[in-house]
């Protein structure tokens, strides 16, 4: 897919200018991300997506109930099988370009054994869940879906509390 995107650009006489513009965008984004991570505190609910800091408001009751029910079930299963680690809400997943806070994540025991008690940034999970909100649906179905797949997240659930579907 990336070759399909790059081919017309590579054939363009504008290639050197486009590469320069992209390099400037990447550098500016890296600076903004470094500032985001430096200023981030455990109390904040924020993500860094495509160069922008996205602050999140408190969730609606239906969102909280769905998240708690799924996280509780996953936690019970994980404890029963003694295989892995579950985090809910404020787990900052740092990928190549973006930092997301999925509603629920699960890590295999192999990945989880490397975690430190004071760790605040985590790698791509094995399983991620996003409970839809009107304000974030386009991100959950868009860049998060694409980014999780790119980083090897084996399972990604999008929970729609209005249609009662996953």
């Amino acid at each position: 897919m990336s070759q399909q995107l790059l081919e017309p650009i590579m054939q363009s006489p504008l290639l050197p200018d486009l590469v320069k513009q992209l390099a400037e965008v990447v550098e500016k984004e890296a600076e903004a991300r470094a500032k985001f991570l430096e200023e981030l505190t455990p109390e904040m609910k924020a993500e860094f997506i495509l160069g922008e800091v996205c602050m999140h408001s408190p969730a609606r009751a239906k969102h909280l109930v769905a998240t708690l029910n799924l996280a509780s079930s996953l936690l019970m299963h994980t404890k029963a099988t003694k295989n892995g680690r579950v985090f809910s809400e404020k787990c900052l997943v740092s990928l190549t370009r973006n930092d997301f806070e999925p509603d629920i994540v699960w890590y295999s025991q192999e990945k989880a054994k490397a975690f430190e008690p004071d760790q605040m940034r985590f790698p791509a999970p094995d399983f991620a869940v996003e409970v839809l909100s009107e304000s974030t649906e386009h991100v959950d179905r868009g860049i998060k879906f694409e980014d999780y797949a790119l980083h090897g997240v084996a399972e990604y659930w999008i929970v729609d509390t209005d249609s009662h579907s996953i």
Side-chain angles (χ1 to χ4, degrees):
M1 181 176 169
S2 62
Q3 188 62 28
Q4 290 173 326
L5 293 172
L6 288 176
E7 193 60 38
I9 295 169
M10 291 171 50
Q11 300 302 319
S12 171
L14 295 172
L15 177 64
D17 291 334
L18 295 172
V19 169
K20 182 180 176 187
Q21 288 176 26
L22 285 172
E24 289 170 0
V25 168
V26 169
E27 182 179 339
K28 184 177 176 183
E29 190 174 291
E31 290 170 3
R33 188 178 192 191
K35 182 179 180 194
F36 164 76
L37 293 171
E38 181 181 313
E39 295 176 353
L40 189 64
T41 66
E43 297 77 29
M44 294 170 63
K45 177 110 174 104
E47 297 177 306
F48 188 83
I49 304 172
L50 302 177
E52 300 290 327
V53 175
C54 304
M55 301 299 292
H56 294 286
S57 60
R60 298 182 189 276
K62 61 185 180 181
H63 184 284
L64 296 170
V65 168
T67 301
L68 184 59
N69 286 342
L70 282 170
S72 297
S73 296
L74 186 57
L75 181 61
M76 287 185 345
H77 174 74
T78 300
K79 283 186 172 191
T81 60
K82 297 179 178 151
N83 185 24
R85 194 83 173 272
V86 177
F87 294 118
S88 180
E89 293 294 332
K90 298 183 50 58
C91 178
L92 187 68
V93 173
S94 289
L95 304 178
T96 305
R97 184 177 180 194
N98 299 301
D99 297 288
F100 301 131
E101 283 192 349
D103 294 309
I104 304 167
V105 291
W106 179 83
Y107 289 95
S108 66
Q109 190 63 33
E110 185 176 316
K111 283 185 183 178
K113 68 183 176 187
F115 297 162
E116 299 291 329
D118 291 330
Q119 186 169 335
M120 283 182 46
R121 293 176 68 197
F122 296 86
D126 297 287
F127 174 56
V129 176
E130 292 288 359
V131 178
L132 290 182
S133 299
E134 285 182 37
S135 62
T136 63
E137 181 173 3
H138 67 287
V139 173
D140 295 340
R141 293 187 186 277
I143 187 63
K144 286 186 180 183
F145 187 90
E146 185 179 342
D147 217 1
Y148 289 148
L150 182 67
H151 287 85
V153 175
E155 189 79 19
Y156 176 44
W157 287 5
I158 299 173
V159 177
D160 186 335
T161 57
D162 291 331
S163 68
H164 304 283
S165 65
I166 296 177

